[in-house]
Amino acid sequence: MTSTAAAPSGLAGYVDRKRRLWLFSLGVPMLALVGPLLYVLVSPQVIWLWISTIFAYVVIPALDGVLGEDLSNPPEEAVPALEADPYYRYVTYALVPILWISFLVNIIFLGYHDLPWYGTLAVIISTGGSLGFGLNLGHEMGHKKIELERWLAKITLALGFYGHFFVEHNRGHHRDVATPEDPASSRMGESIYRFVFREMPGAFFRAWDLEAQRLERCGKSVWSLENEVLQPALISAVLYGGLIAWLGIEILPVMMLIAFWGAFQLTLANYIEHYGLLRRKEPSGRYERCQPHHSWNSNHLFSNWALFHLQRHSDHHAHPTRRYQSLRDFPDLPRLPSGYFGMYLLTYFPPLWFKVMDKRLLDAVGHDPSRINFLPAKREMLIRRYGLDNGAAPEGAEVAA
């Protein structure tokens, strides 16, 4: 199924049929504001505070199922004009104040309202979820060369005290993706609950080390204001310190939970995006160049509209500076059975995740264990379970072309 909403882009005769639909990338994060506003303006019912969470975990997967997938790509001759069109940048710019307003309004709402624990939990989850959209926005703009976009990425990432992602993702994850050296690439047999304890601290330490090395090469102190880990961290410190001064120290644990839940949304995405996929080592000792088949891909319509095409992750890793509106689908890619929001639900139940994804992983790599990034502790068990000792598919197994 392809998108039916159309608006001509006027780019070399190409019509971007998703042009106006990218506004969903603004509308879905705004839902974090809807609950508190309805609570204040309509009636003090806690159910309002769960609206954005219900939409994310129930409505979006349902819409992905109903609307299906879009396998269409923009023609390459239209891409230069498509990427130069400022409309697509303005959409991302508009999300920055939306996220800041949403975060501030929800924190102030919590500071001034005595909610039952399940009401506070609802706001923590919805606000943290909006920070997850902020991390996705920081991901999109952090790859760009325009200085304004790079600073907007840092300002957005600062909301969740996760500014080190700006360094770690661009210079660490993209270098080491789909290898055992990457803390942000999940391994076959690794649950989300095990992965989070490896990915979160690993991301910070790698970012700090990368930035320390860069500054040392430049002859500057790691504590310089040019440190791109410290820059967003200082914005975060001022923001959180100001809110504590206004609302009291009791707001700190709430903000910490919100920041954690926001960071966990990134962890969920990282877990899904490269599960079990492995780049092979060449005779030189270097890993092969990252290709589209080293990432899981999804073309589900609504969740892609809500996430600036993050789910076309295969093309993103192969061509990281390519803007969201230009990302392509390729044939014979590892494919997810649902969009990210449906997959998030699956990760919470590891036995179900392994049941669904391990078979897909084996099919994607042709049952070749040399192309699988195993959790070391489970490697031998998984090889025996799936009959991979000789790199051959077990009898009757379906092998991807």
Short mmCIF file of all heavy atoms in Angstrom, two decimals, residues 359 362-363 367 384-389 391-399:
data_model
loop_
_atom_site.label_atom_id
_atom_site.label_comp_id
_atom_site.label_asym_id
_atom_site.label_seq_id
_atom_site.Cartn_x
_atom_site.Cartn_y
_atom_site.Cartn_z
N LYS A 359 13.99 -16.41 14.12
CA LYS A 359 13.77 -17.03 12.81
C LYS A 359 14.00 -16.03 11.69
O LYS A 359 14.61 -16.35 10.66
CB LYS A 359 12.36 -17.61 12.73
CG LYS A 359 12.09 -18.31 11.39
CD LYS A 359 10.67 -18.83 11.30
CE LYS A 359 10.47 -19.59 9.99
NZ LYS A 359 10.76 -18.76 8.80
N LEU A 362 17.73 -15.59 11.23
CA LEU A 362 18.35 -16.71 10.53
C LEU A 362 18.05 -16.67 9.03
O LEU A 362 18.92 -16.92 8.20
CB LEU A 362 17.87 -18.03 11.13
CG LEU A 362 18.32 -18.31 12.57
CD1 LEU A 362 17.61 -19.54 13.11
CD2 LEU A 362 19.82 -18.47 12.64
N ASP A 363 16.81 -16.34 8.69
CA ASP A 363 16.46 -16.23 7.27
C ASP A 363 17.22 -15.08 6.60
O ASP A 363 17.66 -15.19 5.46
CB ASP A 363 14.95 -16.00 7.12
CG ASP A 363 14.13 -17.25 7.47
OD1 ASP A 363 14.73 -18.34 7.56
OD2 ASP A 363 12.91 -17.12 7.66
N HIS A 367 21.06 -18.46 7.36
CA HIS A 367 21.46 -19.45 8.37
C HIS A 367 22.98 -19.60 8.46
O HIS A 367 23.49 -20.69 8.73
CB HIS A 367 20.80 -20.81 8.09
CG HIS A 367 19.32 -20.80 8.30
ND1 HIS A 367 18.71 -21.34 9.40
CD2 HIS A 367 18.31 -20.28 7.54
CE1 HIS A 367 17.40 -21.17 9.32
NE2 HIS A 367 17.14 -20.53 8.20
N ARG A 384 23.58 -24.83 18.48
CA ARG A 384 23.03 -26.18 18.58
C ARG A 384 21.52 -26.19 18.34
O ARG A 384 21.00 -27.05 17.64
CB ARG A 384 23.34 -26.79 19.97
CG ARG A 384 24.80 -27.16 20.18
CD ARG A 384 24.95 -28.06 21.40
NE ARG A 384 24.40 -27.43 22.60
CZ ARG A 384 25.11 -26.64 23.41
NH1 ARG A 384 26.38 -26.36 23.14
NH2 ARG A 384 24.55 -26.13 24.50
N ARG A 385 20.83 -25.22 18.95
CA ARG A 385 19.37 -25.19 18.84
C ARG A 385 18.92 -25.10 17.39
O ARG A 385 17.97 -25.77 16.97
CB ARG A 385 18.80 -24.01 19.63
CG ARG A 385 17.29 -23.83 19.42
CD ARG A 385 16.78 -22.60 20.12
NE ARG A 385 16.86 -22.71 21.57
CZ ARG A 385 16.53 -21.73 22.41
NH1 ARG A 385 16.12 -20.56 21.93
NH2 ARG A 385 16.63 -21.91 23.71
N TYR A 386 19.61 -24.26 16.61
CA TYR A 386 19.18 -24.02 15.23
C TYR A 386 19.99 -24.81 14.20
O TYR A 386 19.85 -24.58 13.01
CB TYR A 386 19.23 -22.53 14.93
CG TYR A 386 18.23 -21.74 15.73
CD1 TYR A 386 18.65 -20.87 16.76
CD2 TYR A 386 16.86 -21.86 15.50
CE1 TYR A 386 17.73 -20.15 17.50
CE2 TYR A 386 15.94 -21.15 16.25
CZ TYR A 386 16.37 -20.30 17.25
OH TYR A 386 15.46 -19.59 17.99
N GLY A 387 20.83 -25.76 14.66
CA GLY A 387 21.56 -26.60 13.74
C GLY A 387 22.50 -25.84 12.84
O GLY A 387 22.56 -26.11 11.63
N LEU A 388 23.26 -24.91 13.42
CA LEU A 388 24.12 -24.04 12.62
C LEU A 388 25.59 -24.44 12.67
O LEU A 388 26.44 -23.68 12.21
CB LEU A 388 23.99 -22.59 13.12
CG LEU A 388 22.58 -22.00 13.13
CD1 LEU A 388 22.62 -20.60 13.73
CD2 LEU A 388 21.99 -21.98 11.74
N ASP A 389 25.90 -25.63 13.18
CA ASP A 389 27.30 -26.01 13.41
C ASP A 389 28.16 -25.86 12.17
O ASP A 389 29.31 -25.43 12.23
CB ASP A 389 27.37 -27.46 13.90
CG ASP A 389 26.57 -27.65 15.17
OD1 ASP A 389 25.34 -27.72 15.07
OD2 ASP A 389 27.17 -27.70 16.24
N GLY A 391 27.25 -24.06 9.50
CA GLY A 391 26.83 -22.91 8.70
C GLY A 391 25.73 -23.24 7.72
O GLY A 391 25.41 -22.45 6.86
N ALA A 392 25.14 -24.44 7.83
CA ALA A 392 24.10 -24.83 6.90
C ALA A 392 22.74 -24.75 7.58
O ALA A 392 22.62 -24.97 8.78
CB ALA A 392 24.35 -26.26 6.43
N ALA A 393 21.75 -24.45 6.81
CA ALA A 393 20.40 -24.37 7.36
C ALA A 393 19.91 -25.77 7.70
O ALA A 393 20.21 -26.73 7.00
CB ALA A 393 19.47 -23.73 6.33
N PRO A 394 19.17 -25.92 8.80
CA PRO A 394 18.62 -27.21 9.13
C PRO A 394 17.62 -27.65 8.07
O PRO A 394 17.08 -26.84 7.35
CB PRO A 394 17.93 -26.99 10.48
CG PRO A 394 17.74 -25.52 10.58
CD PRO A 394 18.84 -24.90 9.79
N GLU A 395 17.41 -28.95 7.98
CA GLU A 395 16.54 -29.49 6.94
C GLU A 395 15.15 -28.86 7.01
O GLU A 395 14.54 -28.76 8.08
CB GLU A 395 16.42 -31.00 7.12
CG GLU A 395 15.62 -31.69 6.00
CD GLU A 395 15.58 -33.18 6.19
OE1 GLU A 395 16.32 -33.69 7.06
OE2 GLU A 395 14.84 -33.84 5.45
N GLY A 396 14.66 -28.43 5.84
CA GLY A 396 13.34 -27.82 5.76
C GLY A 396 13.31 -26.37 6.10
O GLY A 396 12.27 -25.73 6.06
N ALA A 397 14.46 -25.77 6.46
CA ALA A 397 14.48 -24.36 6.84
C ALA A 397 14.36 -23.49 5.60
O ALA A 397 14.84 -23.83 4.54
CB ALA A 397 15.76 -24.01 7.58
N GLU A 398 13.72 -22.34 5.76
CA GLU A 398 13.58 -21.38 4.67
C GLU A 398 14.78 -20.44 4.71
O GLU A 398 15.04 -19.78 5.71
CB GLU A 398 12.28 -20.58 4.86
CG GLU A 398 12.07 -19.53 3.80
CD GLU A 398 10.81 -18.73 4.07
OE1 GLU A 398 9.96 -19.20 4.85
OE2 GLU A 398 10.69 -17.64 3.50
N VAL A 399 15.54 -20.39 3.63
CA VAL A 399 16.73 -19.56 3.57
C VAL A 399 16.48 -18.39 2.65
O VAL A 399 16.00 -18.54 1.54
CB VAL A 399 17.94 -20.38 3.05
CG1 VAL A 399 19.17 -19.52 2.99
CG2 VAL A 399 18.18 -21.59 3.95
#
